[in-house]
């Protein structure tokens, strides 16, 4: 490793990243075939943008041909509380850990730009582009190629020294650095992540059908959710951490250094009755600066109605009855379903 590369790693860790890895943009030649199979099977659901940008998404080298190295960086957001404890409370909704405070996109991107500016300061001839989950970049396969960790049987990235509670960011650069050895799977015979999934979203180990994934259903899916899946969503109202939380490798999870990832008290186990009463203005105010805000009030309250229907608590009939005539058809449909379940 060159002196510049080592200093880059040191600086990245100094500003808050937990781990840094390097790979070539073309380090995952099998990616186009894997992505094509996923989309051809329709497992991407309503995420049409995956098919629309297939050429870029399946090849980092195509996204920016001038790039010589992909620098993958990790930022931990390990929760201080048990993310599964919320399921002991019938009157509360479950929000994915990463969304219980500030939007990680803004925080990670700002830190990536900090590292990028430092790199250009060391070599003014260097060019960079930074990406955080919003561009057609397949971060998880690239991170595995960069030695960060491996995609587990739940398809999420995990690491022997980081667990699975972390965000990924990428810096593409025209500089050429020494690459890391790709990581291999260490899942062994464990199937904890597959067994815990309420909706059976994994047709096979290392394969995900997004159409059955609760994270997809609560965040990406527009309109009513299939009747078969509603009862299986439980109290999840934004995202799902079940497969992550079940992973034994989390015993090695590292503490989050960024205080803005620490869960807000009102989002660890928020009361469903209160959330059911949110109008658009109240929703925007409550979730200002949160990734939850991007799905909008209607989709969020639709999820809340499903959770109420799954609660089995007739005390919720009042709050959910008020949604039966909601202006949004999906919310009204979800509320009618919940009323029928509770009645």
């Amino acid at each position: 490793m060159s002196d510049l590369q080592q200093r880059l790693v040191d600086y990245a860790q100094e500003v808050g990243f937990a781990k840094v890895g390097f790979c070539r943009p073309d380090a995952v030649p099998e990616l186009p075939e894997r992505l094509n199979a996923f989309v051809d099977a329709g497992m991407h659901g309503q995420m049409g943008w995956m098919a629309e940008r297939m050429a870029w998404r399946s090849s980092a080298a195509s996204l920016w041909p001038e790039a010589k190295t992909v620098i993958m960086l990790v930022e931990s957001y390990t929760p201080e509380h048990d993310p599964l404890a919320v399921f002991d409370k019938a009157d509360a909704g479950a929000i994915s850990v990463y969304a219980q405070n500030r939007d990680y996109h803004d925080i990670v991107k700002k830190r990536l730009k900090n590292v990028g500016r430092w790199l250009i300061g060391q070599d003014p001839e260097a060019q960079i582009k930074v990406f955080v989950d919003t561009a057609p970049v397949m971060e998880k396969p690239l991170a595995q190629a960069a030695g960060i960790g491996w995609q587990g049987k739940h398809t999420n990235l995990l690491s022997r020294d980081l667990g699975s509670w972390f965000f990924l960011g990428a810096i593409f650069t025209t500089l050429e650095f020494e690459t890391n050895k790709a990581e291999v799977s260490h899942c062994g015979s464990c199937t904890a992540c597959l067994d815990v999934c309420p909706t059976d979203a994994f047709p096979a180990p290392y394969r995900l059908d997004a159409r059955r994934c609760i994270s997809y259903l609560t965040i990406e899916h527009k309109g009513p959710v299939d009747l078969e899946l509603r009862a299986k969503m439980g109290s999840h109202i934004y995202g799902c951490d079940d497969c992550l939380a079940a992973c034994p490798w989390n015993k090695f999870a590292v503490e989050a250094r960024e205080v803005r990832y620490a869960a807000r008290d009102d989002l660890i186990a928020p009361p469903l009755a209160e959330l059911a009463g949110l109008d658009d203005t109240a929703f925007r105010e409550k979730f200002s600066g949160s990734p939850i805000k991007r799905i909008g009030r209607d989709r969020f309250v639709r999820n809340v109605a499903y959770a109420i229907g799954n609660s089995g608590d007739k005390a919720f009939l009042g709050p959910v009855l008020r949604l039966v005539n909601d202006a949004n058809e999906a919310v009204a449909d979800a509320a009618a379903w919940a009323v029928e379940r509770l009645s």
Side-chain angles (χ1 to χ4, degrees), residues 159-333:
S159 165
R160 288 189 292 180
D161 52 358
L162 295 172
S164 57
W165 303 105
F166 55 82
F167 301 123
L168 293 171
I171 300 177
F172 286 34
T173 179
T174 52
L175 296 180
E176 192 161 353
F177 289 114
E178 179 183 338
T179 60
N180 296 101
K181 183 179 178 181
E183 182 60 285
V184 297
S185 175
H186 297 281
C187 290
S189 60
C190 178
T191 59
C193 61
L194 309 182
D195 299 337
V196 77
C197 181
T199 55
D200 297 318
F202 304 102
Y206 307 104
R207 290 185 62 202
L208 169 70
D209 186 343
R211 297 169 298 183
R212 300 185 66 86
C213 175
I214 293 176
S215 283
Y216 165 82
L217 293 171
T218 55
I219 298 173
E220 302 290 348
H221 183 82
K222 301 175 183 177
V225 172
D226 288 348
L227 288 171
E228 176 217 350
L229 297 173
R230 297 181 190 185
K232 298 179 179 181
M233 292 170 65
S235 59
H236 295 90
I237 57 176
Y238 185 92
C240 179
D241 291 323
D242 293 11
C243 62
L244 293 180
C247 181
W249 284 105
N250 278 323
K251 62 186 176 183
F252 298 112
V254 297
E255 182 179 353
R257 293 170 56 182
E258 173 56 66
V259 296
R260 287 172 290 182
Y261 296 144
R264 284 167 40 181
D265 290 341
D266 63 324
L267 296 186
I268 294 178
L272 292 170
E274 175 187 315
L275 299 177
L278 293 176
D279 59 16
D280 188 64
T281 300
F283 171 82
R284 290 176 178 274
E285 181 179 346
K286 184 174 184 64
F287 296 110
S288 176
S290 163
I292 297 174
K293 186 178 178 181
R294 79 178 183 91
I295 70 171
R297 175 264 178 191
D298 294 341
R299 201 177 307 175
F300 183 76
V301 174
R302 176 206 65 181
N303 298 338
V304 172
Y306 291 147
I308 286 176
N310 289 325
S311 70
D313 188 346
K314 292 187 177 182
F316 283 124
L317 275 172
V320 79
L321 273 169
R322 289 191 287 271
L323 295 173
V324 170
N325 295 315
D326 194 87
N328 181 268
E329 291 184 8
V331 172
D333 173 78

